[in-house]
Amino acid sequence: MQVNIPLVKTIDNSYNITIDTLPKLHFDKKVAIITNPKVSGLHLGYLLNRISAKELYIITVPDGEEYKNQASIDTILESLFNHQFNRKSMLVAFGGGVVGDMTGYAASIYQRGIEFIQIPTTLLSQVDASVGGKTGMNNSYGKNLVGAFHQPKAVYIDHHFLSTLPTREFSAGVAEILKMAVTFDKSFFDFLKKANLSDEAELLKVIQKAVETKAKVVALDEKENGIRAALNYGHTFGHVIENETAYKTYLHGEAVAIGMVMANELAVEMQLMSKNEASSVKSLLQKYNLPTSYKIKDVELFYETFFLDKKSSDSAITFIVPKNIGDVKITDQCSKALLLNVLNKFGAVDA
Ligand code: GLY
């Protein structure tokens, strides 16, 4: 016997990403702003001048990737229960990628799902993490291994917040912008070669282009069954670097930058990219003060660590390799010999 539950439905999860000075926002419901002490100290006043709600609460979680965990999620959930939030209530993610991912995840599980909006305050979260509905937290098995796809209701990108961003964090955000240019848009890549991101107008243009690129990809493949995986360019290698250095040496965007150099080396070996193109990507990363070299101490161990990544399935690891500049190939067909050959280039001497 079979009982069928007919659940075919069309859900419109579309939302707008506003790139402008934060407008006045009012919500006729209970709202909690989730933030960390650093962002709150610098920018909460600015936000509170522009946001109001029937009831407004502020929940603070500790700052840093090491706190992107169950304890912080519990802090958020407990506070929501204490203030009797219901399914009509809403969360506001106010911070970088860590706050954004955790707020989205808490919103996805609180009473089986409530709304949230994103107000990202770092370049990396403005151009990448806040867009597309990936939410989650880390655990002892690795980064972002627990989470949900839960789209925000809106994203507000205000470059005002970038005025206090440390230079290193700014560059780390640029890495994710370069990632989108190399994989999807040669003219964007050429523009970035000449761009001056200290110029506000150019910076806004670049943020807009990166967000448009990401929005197109997410619209095509929301749940990462295909092309969205291309946004992981540099990440398969980068996550191993972050893991090997215990998340202490490199910011995420910096590890991704080195990962892009490694992925390009793989692309050159696979004859998908010329050496000249690989070195032009490396030069662009260097222009934005991103690291491009890494010494692998144990090549076999580096290779084994690939398998901790959630993008690996059974014995196959998915690699994102550029096809020239502006196009990309997603493959799980790289042999161990090929990968060890690439990794060895970073083993003996700094590449
Ligand atoms: N950060 C990659 C993605 O959102 O798919």
Side-chain angles (χ1 to χ4, degrees):
M1 186 188 284
Q2 280 182 336
V3 177
N4 178 256
I5 307 184
L7 286 176
V8 181
K9 53 191 164 192
T10 309
I11 303 169
D12 187 353
N13 273 339
S14 314
Y15 56 97
N16 288 328
I17 299 154
T18 304
I19 305 170
D20 208 341
T21 300
L22 190 62
K24 292 260 180 201
L25 302 169
H26 177 76
F27 302 99
D28 199 17
K29 52 176 82 176
K30 281 190 187 187
V31 170
I33 298 168
I34 318 296
T35 189
N36 67 40
K38 205 200 254 168
V39 173
S40 157
L42 291 167
H43 299 297
L44 189 60
Y46 182 90
L47 177 61
L48 292 179
N49 278 332
R50 288 165 179 79
I51 193 167
S52 56
K54 197 164 159 193
E55 286 178 45
L56 187 61
Y57 299 90
I58 294 152
I59 302 171
T60 306
V61 288
D63 180 29
E65 188 71 38
E66 66 270 41
Y67 299 106
K68 188 176 170 182
N69 56 21
Q70 187 66 54
S72 298
I73 294 293
D74 287 343
T75 301
I76 298 170
L77 297 179
E78 274 167 34
S79 187
L80 300 179
F81 285 116
N82 281 334
H83 295 303
Q84 297 177 322
F85 272 54
N86 60 39
R87 296 186 79 181
K88 294 207 163 63
S89 309
M90 196 186 83
L91 306 187
V92 176
F94 185 50
V98 170
V99 163
D101 282 10
M102 286 203 297
T103 304
Y105 180 48
S108 79
I109 55 175
Y110 185 77
Q111 297 190 356
R112 299 211 173 93
I114 59 172
E115 293 182 349
F116 82 114
I117 65 169
Q118 288 268 17
I119 305 182
T121 58
T122 62
L123 183 60
L124 190 141
S125 59
Q126 294 193 342
V127 296
D128 193 14
S130 67
V131 177
K134 275 191 182 175
T135 76
M137 62 170 204
N138 307 332
N139 66 9
S140 59
Y141 293 89
K143 257 181 92 130
N144 299 329
L145 293 180
V146 175
F149 286 96
H150 188 56
Q151 298 293 342
K153 280 284 150 198
V155 182
Y156 293 95
I157 296 175
D158 182 343
H159 74 289
H160 163 83
F161 301 118
L162 304 182
S163 60
T164 54
L165 196 66
T167 331
R168 245 184 100 188
E169 280 203 43
F170 185 87
S171 293
V174 177
E176 301 281 7
I177 295 172
L178 300 187
K179 163 191 91 175
M180 291 187 230
V182 176
T183 46
F184 289 108
D185 196 332
K186 167 90 166 70
S187 62
F188 188 27
F189 182 85
D190 291 337
F191 179 83
L192 287 162
K193 283 211 258 190
K194 293 183 228 117
N196 168 18
L197 299 188
S198 336
D199 179 87
E200 191 177 300
E202 289 202 21
L203 175 62
L204 284 175
K205 200 166 161 184
V206 163
I207 292 175
Q208 182 183 338
K209 186 76 199 159
V211 169
E212 281 170 356
T213 306
K214 174 132 190 204
K216 266 190 220 150
V217 175
V218 171
L220 286 170
D221 177 25
E222 183 189 353
K223 301 271 169 82
E224 198 173 303
N225 293 312
I227 190 65
R228 184 166 180 170
L231 296 172
N232 298 324
Y233 165 50
H235 287 61
T236 313
F237 293 95
H239 283 165
V240 178
I241 294 168
E242 284 181 290
N243 183 298
E244 281 200 347
T245 52
Y247 301 92
K248 287 187 173 46
T249 313
Y250 299 105
L251 297 173
H252 173 66
E254 293 174 332
V256 167
I258 301 170
M260 285 162 66
V261 174
M262 291 180 169
N264 293 351
E265 198 61 49
L266 179 58
V268 171
E269 283 293 318
M270 294 169 81
Q271 298 184 339
L272 293 169
M273 186 182 222
S274 70
K275 281 191 173 170
N276 272 350
E277 285 169 316
S279 80
S280 129
V281 175
K282 192 168 174 175
S283 303
L284 194 51
L285 291 165
Q286 285 165 348
K287 168 180 167 174
Y288 291 108
N289 303 313
L290 286 157
T292 53
S293 64
Y294 181 77
K295 181 134 176 34
I296 301 177
K297 287 190 194 73
D298 184 335
V299 166
E300 277 283 343
L301 187 63
F302 196 101
Y303 175 81
E304 289 306 324
T305 311
F306 281 138
F307 293 94
L308 294 180
D309 199 278
K310 66 182 173 309
K311 291 179 292 299
S312 67
S313 60
D314 301 329
S315 57
I317 315 149
T318 303
F319 286 93
I320 317 302
V321 269
K323 264 165 61 184
N324 307 115
I325 290 172
D327 197 3
V328 70
K329 181 180 168 89
I330 301 169
T331 176
D332 60 3
Q333 296 297 309
C334 296
S335 68
K336 180 172 179 183
L338 170 64
L339 290 164
L340 289 183
N341 185 18
V342 168
L343 295 179
N344 269 317
K345 297 188 180 186
F346 295 83
V349 283
D350 280 357

